[in-house]
Amino acid sequence: MSDDCLFCKIVNREIPSEFLYEDDTYVVFKDINPAAPVHLLLVPKKHIRSINDLTLEDGDVISGLFMVAKEMAREQGVAESGYKLLFNVEKGGGQEIFHIHLHLIGGWEKK
Ligand code: AMP
Ligand code: ZN
């Protein structure tokens, strides 16, 4: 928990948010400013500042995040049509919230 972290506050329900998924390790909620019809944020409950701050002990948390992503993609109906999984890393990489999160983005119109 980091006192001034928005996502820690969401994880701890200090800021209301609707979770599409929650277990002991992760929460998933919709991005407030979606870049596509489906845009979820998959957030470990543990406060990890960025990919640059990962340690070996975070390995299970990160690999598990991809299992949650696979399941959420299926639930959102984009598993077959396809989607993007994205970590923004540090300011230059577009990271705005310094609590690690995986973007799941998809659901574009089929052409
Ligand atoms: P990043 O730029 O990778 O740090 O992504 C942060 C994301 O969090 C952005 O896509 C924002 O739209 C999103 N965001 C910011 N505040 C909230 C919030 N209160 N609830 C949901 N998503 C948020
Ligand atoms: Zn945090």
Side-chain angles (χ1 to χ4, degrees), residues 6-111:
L6 176 66
F7 283 2
C8 280
K9 288 183 176 146
I10 289 177
V11 164
N12 291 313
R13 297 182 184 277
E14 288 167 40
I15 292 174
S17 180
E18 191 184 331
F19 295 154
L20 279 63
Y21 176 80
E22 180 176 20
D23 64 18
D24 288 347
T25 313
Y26 310 102
V27 296
V28 176
F29 49 90
K30 289 184 180 173
D31 196 294
I32 205 169
N33 185 20
V38 174
H39 188 168
L40 306 185
L41 300 175
L42 284 53
V43 183
K45 288 184 171 177
K46 179 180 178 186
H47 180 85
I48 303 168
R49 194 190 146 276
S50 107
I51 288 283
N52 283 346
D53 295 270
L54 284 178
T55 65
L56 274 181
E57 73 172 24
D58 299 321
D60 288 349
V61 174
I62 297 304
S63 60
L65 202 49
F66 288 95
M67 297 307 289
V68 176
K70 176 186 137 182
E71 195 53 34
M72 293 310 302
R74 193 186 58 76
E75 273 184 29
Q76 295 287 311
V78 300
E80 298 305 322
S81 57
Y83 54 98
K84 294 180 192 292
L85 295 175
L86 175 74
F87 286 106
N88 292 325
V89 184
E90 303 294 339
K91 283 208 170 89
Q95 186 173 3
E96 292 175 355
I97 309 280
F98 287 86
H99 176 135
I100 215 168
H101 51 280
L102 183 61
H103 294 255
L104 190 164
I105 306 168
W108 303 276
E109 290 279 319
K110 286 184 188 135
K111 290 196 180 148

